[in-house]
Amino acid sequence: MRFLLTGGAGFIGSHTCVALLNAGHEVVVLDNYYNSSPEALRRVEKITGKKVTAYEGDCCDADTVNRVLDNEKIDAAVHFAGYKAVGESVRIPLNYYENNINSAITLCRCMSAHGVKRLVFSSSATVYGEQNQPPYTEDMPRGACTNPYGWTKSMIEQILTDLVVSDPQWTVVLLRYFNPVGAHESGLIGEDPSGIPNNLMPFICQTAAGVREKLSMFGNDYPTPDGTCVRDYIHVMDLAEGHVKALEYAMQHQGTEIINLGTGEGYSVYQVVRAFEQVNHLTLRKQDAPRRAGDLPESYANASKAERLLGWHATRSLEDMCRDAWHWQQLNPHGYRE
Ligand code: NAD
Ligand code: UD1
């Protein structure tokens, strides 16, 4: 099969390229490199020994998307493209609504016009909001999001669901990711945040590397076993392999399906820090710090639907995530920049 990956040069997209190519599929990437580098795709080719067809362009631009679909025979698409920084989305919400929602609508319009009606969408566990209690199951109603980024995911889920109702030829798989971390085992591709990382694992890696002075662990008085927040961290290669299964599923089914991609296991901030120190034989400079606004005490998946529908479950451990994240950081202290 031949799949279009919008945002395919990004963190999750590049790892999904590897998983798809390793599974014998072909990939076509459309990315404007707003938050990524074409170097990631060269590394994908190095890892797999296979070719990535890449287009530089904006997914909000219908002419660009149509050109790709005119040139390439595409069986289905994964829509990774979007902005994802939660704090930034609070400061510049219009940019987030504009880019995330327009890119999704433009892509769907162009796909429809080309008769390509199978789509996998990168959603987030953030759509469960504050009302639901973990473990989250896909049949829970979406909750109120705490930031514009989360709302874009919730709104796009609704838009795609309505699209399938209007035209039953469409197949849409809404993948709700939990907390993707780690890197490909080779250390050639990984997460390359610009500026100061917001997320825990990249901050830990940069602290270990001496780029950041100290890790602040936000909040130690939550109603959790050790007082720090619990998350469902998932190795990005497990997540990538979940996309292979989701695309293969989308090729054989119709309708809308929501699927959690998590491990089903929650780890606290202290547990992640300890695992990182132990597996990598180092000690992090760290301190307890006040709670971060908007953080929920606990978030983890019920991962049984993915197992049932896709025959997929995560196989890599927290130790694997910590080892591979650090391996990537050591080999690429400046990310994809020389
Ligand atoms: P990323 O920023 O590394 O990748 C997104 C890619 O999309 C980048 O390469 C960027 O250049 C590209 N892009 C953005 N806008 C574009 C546009 N208009 N046209 C073309 N390309 C565009 O992010 P990621 O971590 O790989 O996340 C991929 C998707 O998964 C995003 O939609 C994100 O919101 C979602 N998601 C990520 C996480 C996470 O923790 N990383 C969690 C849940 C959901
Ligand atoms: C955050 C976003 C979420 C997004 C996800 C993946 C918020 C409120 N949520 O989730 O919408 O889908 O990233 O991109 O921003 N932590 C520290 N110190 C740090 C960084 C994080 O202690 O320097 C803690 C956080 O308080 C949290 C845990 O580590 O308890 C995980 O944080 P993070 O990696 O940012 O992910 P989420 O908050 O789960």
Side-chain angles (χ1 to χ4, degrees):
M1 297 288 166
R2 192 168 171 79
F3 299 122
L4 171 63
L5 275 53
T6 71
F11 171 45
I12 302 170
S14 56
H15 290 80
T16 303
C17 283
V18 170
L20 284 167
L21 291 167
N22 282 345
H25 299 295
E26 294 175 330
V27 296
V28 175
V29 168
L30 170 61
D31 202 303
N32 60 6
Y33 305 121
Y34 172 84
N35 194 37
S36 57
S37 160
E39 175 63 16
L41 299 177
R42 287 193 279 276
R43 307 260 182 111
V44 168
E45 291 182 330
K46 191 168 174 193
I47 292 168
T48 60
K50 294 182 181 166
K51 190 172 159 34
V52 176
T53 305
Y55 290 82
E56 179 170 359
D58 195 319
C59 194
C60 296
D61 179 50
D63 289 344
T64 301
V65 181
N66 279 327
R67 185 165 55 90
V68 175
L69 291 167
D70 286 343
N71 289 352
E72 312 289 339
K73 202 198 134 328
I74 299 295
D75 293 297
V78 187
H79 187 47
F80 293 108
Y83 298 157
K84 64 162 183 176
V86 170
E88 186 180 65
S89 80
V90 177
R91 286 195 299 281
I92 46 172
L94 297 184
N95 297 31
Y96 272 69
Y97 287 112
E98 187 171 42
N99 187 49
N100 291 7
I101 293 179
N102 282 356
S103 62
I105 292 177
T106 304
L107 177 66
C108 289
R109 281 199 191 284
C110 297
M111 287 173 67
S112 247
H114 285 80
V116 183
K117 296 188 176 179
R118 297 176 194 278
L119 179 67
V120 172
F121 174 61
S122 298
S123 190
S124 167
T126 197
V127 304
Y128 287 108
E130 293 179 55
Q131 291 81 352
N132 294 302
Q133 289 305 312
Y136 298 127
T137 52
E138 293 85 347
D139 56 0
M140 290 173 169
R142 290 194 304 272
C145 297
T146 51
N147 56 74
Y149 163 75
W151 278 118
T152 69
K153 294 295 173 192
S154 189
M155 288 176 186
I156 296 167
E157 283 202 3
Q158 188 62 48
I159 291 168
L160 297 176
T161 305
D162 292 342
L163 175 65
V164 176
V165 172
S166 75
D167 179 356
Q169 286 180 345
W170 270 93
T171 300
V172 169
V173 181
L174 305 173
L175 294 180
R176 293 181 178 163
Y177 309 156
F178 281 71
N179 289 57
V181 296
H184 186 262
E185 291 77 358
S186 65
L188 285 174
I189 56 172
E191 190 168 9
D192 183 14
S194 51
I196 302 172
N198 295 306
N199 298 117
L200 180 63
M201 191 62 88
F203 205 103
I204 288 179
C205 287
Q206 292 195 4
T207 306
V211 181
R212 306 286 154 210
E213 199 201 324
K214 206 183 263 186
L215 169 74
S216 289
M217 299 178 290
F218 299 136
N220 60 8
D221 57 351
Y222 285 100
T224 59
D226 66 19
T228 65
C229 292
V230 169
R231 295 290 181 270
D232 186 338
Y233 298 94
I234 175 169
H235 195 294
V236 65
M237 282 309 298
D238 277 327
L239 192 78
E241 289 162 5
H243 287 72
V244 178
K245 298 290 187 189
L247 280 163
E248 291 171 353
Y249 178 89
M251 293 308 299
Q252 287 162 9
H253 296 81
Q254 282 187 327
T256 306
E257 210 61 73
I258 302 172
I259 304 177
N260 287 338
L261 290 186
T263 65
E265 192 96 27
Y267 290 103
S268 73
V269 173
Y270 285 166
Q271 283 177 307
V272 174
V273 167
R274 207 174 308 120
F276 191 93
E277 292 181 331
Q278 278 173 359
V279 74
N280 295 318
H281 311 291
L282 49 79
T283 305
L284 291 164
R285 282 173 60 86
K286 54 192 179 290
Q287 63 187 7
D288 285 326
R291 290 182 177 197
R292 182 174 71 176
D295 278 343
L296 297 175
E298 293 192 302
S299 165
Y300 51 94
N302 176 320
S304 60
K305 188 171 175 185
E307 174 76 67
R308 184 160 44 81
L309 251 54
L310 307 180
W312 170 93
H313 62 264
T315 59
R316 293 163 178 86
S317 67
L318 179 62
E319 285 68 28
D320 295 331
M321 303 178 213
C322 293
R323 188 189 322 103
D324 293 337
W326 180 228
H327 187 212
W328 151 257
Q329 172 73 43
Q330 284 180 297
L331 291 184
N332 307 273
H334 308 291
Y336 291 113
R337 295 166 295 281
E338 284 306 316

